[in-house]
Amino acid sequence: MKEDILHNLGIINDRIKKACEQAGRNRDEVRLLLATKTVSAEHIKTALENGQTLIAENKVQELKEKYDELKGIPHENHFIGHLQTNKIKDILKYDVVCVHSLDRLDLAEKLHQRLLSEGKTIEVLIQVNTSEEESKFGVHPDEAAELARKVSEFSTLKIKGLMTIGLFSAETEKVRSCFKILKDLQQEIISQNIPNVEMKELSMGMSSDLEIAIEEGATIVRVGTAVFGARIYPDSFYWDEGK
Ligand SMILES: *Cc1c(COP(=O)(O)O)cnc(C)c1O
């Protein structure tokens, strides 16, 4: 398994490098984030001990379970799952520096209250549902700029950009249009010059579509299966409401 992970990391880094070359971008404009849902702390450790620095969980429970084993190894924790307001305390406790899945005002409000009381700040990305699939979270593209504007009023929340999950489809152009929507939104929000809003990050692209995302401007690609192998649970387990 360790050899597989190292081998796969090599392949992914080559894919990112090639995609950057083809898009005329610098390799250092794109960060690799490892999506570690269902992956054991031991396997995550292998990646962290071999050059990786950025990891993210979908569920607070898994973040908690792996925290002690990983805390001695330098790395950055992001959170990419649907965040329930009753779990906010935990993500602060377990050192999450960026939440990619901010998709509603009440979550922003509660996060802000908690951060204020702890004297902390956190980075956030606004999650946008660019595929219009009901099973996916995220604010509707038409409402994203407005949400960013409202969230910007919370001094503890540092908006760094946008996140999306592209359509699962073999039709490349349909997938690409999701990423284009996110890029266009980024430009629109930048043009509005909202105080306290930075729009430099576009978190988009996963194992199967990272090349398209990089072509369309991704600055963070989130990769799980292509590094750690297939998962037992379908992704809907992590993305559907109420589970
Ligand atoms: C699981 C997950 C990924 C990674 O997906 P893979 O297809 O395994 O690369 C990316 N983003 C989110 C939000 C995820 O839940």
Side-chain angles (χ1 to χ4, degrees), residues 109-120:
E109 263 164 6
K110 297 210 167 84
L111 203 47
H112 174 63
Q113 280 159 10
R114 185 77 208 181
L115 284 158
L116 265 187
S117 75
E118 295 192 18
K120 290 181 179 169

Side-chain angles (χ1 to χ4, degrees), residues 30-86:
V30 181
R31 278 194 293 168
L32 171 59
L33 173 151
L34 298 177
T36 53
K37 54 178 180 277
T38 76
V39 179
S40 69
E42 188 199 337
H43 291 157
I44 299 170
K45 230 174 179 170
T46 298
L48 294 179
E49 286 167 350
N50 288 279
Q52 296 308 304
T53 54
L54 181 56
I55 60 175
E57 291 291 348
N58 286 67
K59 288 195 181 278
V60 172
Q61 184 58 32
E62 285 192 46
L63 178 66
K64 208 168 178 169
E65 284 164 9
K66 302 171 200 175
Y67 181 79
D68 279 340
E69 232 180 299
L70 299 177
K71 73 174 178 218
I73 314 169
H75 67 279
E76 193 174 323
N77 266 329
H78 289 194
F79 191 80
I80 57 176
H82 179 65
L83 183 58
Q84 284 156 346
T85 49
N86 62 359

Side-chain angles (χ1 to χ4, degrees), residues 33 35 37 58 80-81 127 163 165 168 205-208 222-226 229 231 235 238-239:
L33 173 151
K37 54 178 180 277
N58 286 67
I80 57 176
Q127 182 175 355
M163 181 274 236
I165 299 171
F168 289 117
M206 315 196 332
S207 293
S208 60
R222 310 177 309 266
V223 176
T225 40
R231 295 177 291 268
D235 285 336
Y238 287 89
W239 294 339

Side-chain angles (χ1 to χ4, degrees), residues 4-13 32 34 47 50 52 227:
D4 293 336
I5 293 171
L6 299 185
H7 175 76
N8 293 342
L9 278 172
I11 292 174
I12 284 292
N13 276 308
L32 171 59
L34 298 177
N50 288 279
Q52 296 308 304
V227 171

Side-chain angles (χ1 to χ4, degrees), residues 12 15-16 19 25 30-35 37 54 56 58 80 100 125 127-128 130 136 162-168 172 174-180 182-183 201-227 231 235 239:
I12 284 292
R15 283 176 60 188
I16 295 173
R25 302 181 59 196
V30 181
R31 278 194 293 168
L32 171 59
L33 173 151
L34 298 177
K37 54 178 180 277
L54 181 56
N58 286 67
I80 57 176
H100 291 221
L125 307 181
Q127 182 175 355
V128 184
T130 53
K136 287 182 188 157
L162 305 172
M163 181 274 236
T164 200
I165 299 171
L167 184 74
F168 289 117
T172 309
K174 285 191 180 161
V175 180
R176 184 184 301 280
S177 74
C178 294
F179 300 146
K180 278 191 190 295
L182 206 69
K183 178 79 191 179
E201 303 290 356
L202 287 180
S203 168
M204 59 188 194
M206 315 196 332
S207 293
S208 60
D209 56 17
L210 67 91
E211 283 85 358
I212 310 171
I214 289 173
E215 267 179 65
E216 297 304 328
T219 62
I220 300 176
V221 291
R222 310 177 309 266
V223 176
T225 40
V227 171
R231 295 177 291 268
D235 285 336
W239 294 339

Side-chain angles (χ1 to χ4, degrees), residues 135-153:
S135 60
K136 287 182 188 157
F137 293 109
V139 64
H140 189 278
D142 293 346
E143 288 156 15
E146 181 61 20
L147 180 61
R149 184 176 291 279
K150 287 182 174 148
V151 172
S152 74
E153 289 168 18

Side-chain angles (χ1 to χ4, degrees), residues 79-137:
F79 191 80
I80 57 176
H82 179 65
L83 183 58
Q84 284 156 346
T85 49
N86 62 359
K87 300 282 169 63
I88 286 173
K89 300 203 280 314
D90 288 330
I91 66 159
L92 303 185
K93 186 164 154 200
Y94 299 112
D95 303 336
V96 169
V97 302
C98 181
V99 174
H100 291 221
S101 44
L102 190 74
D103 60 355
R104 57 199 196 278
L105 194 59
D106 83 301
L107 175 62
E109 263 164 6
K110 297 210 167 84
L111 203 47
H112 174 63
Q113 280 159 10
R114 185 77 208 181
L115 284 158
L116 265 187
S117 75
E118 295 192 18
K120 290 181 179 169
T121 63
I122 200 165
E123 297 180 358
V124 296
L125 307 181
I126 306 284
Q127 182 175 355
V128 184
N129 184 347
T130 53
S131 62
E132 304 209 3
E133 289 169 290
E134 279 184 20
S135 60
K136 287 182 188 157
F137 293 109

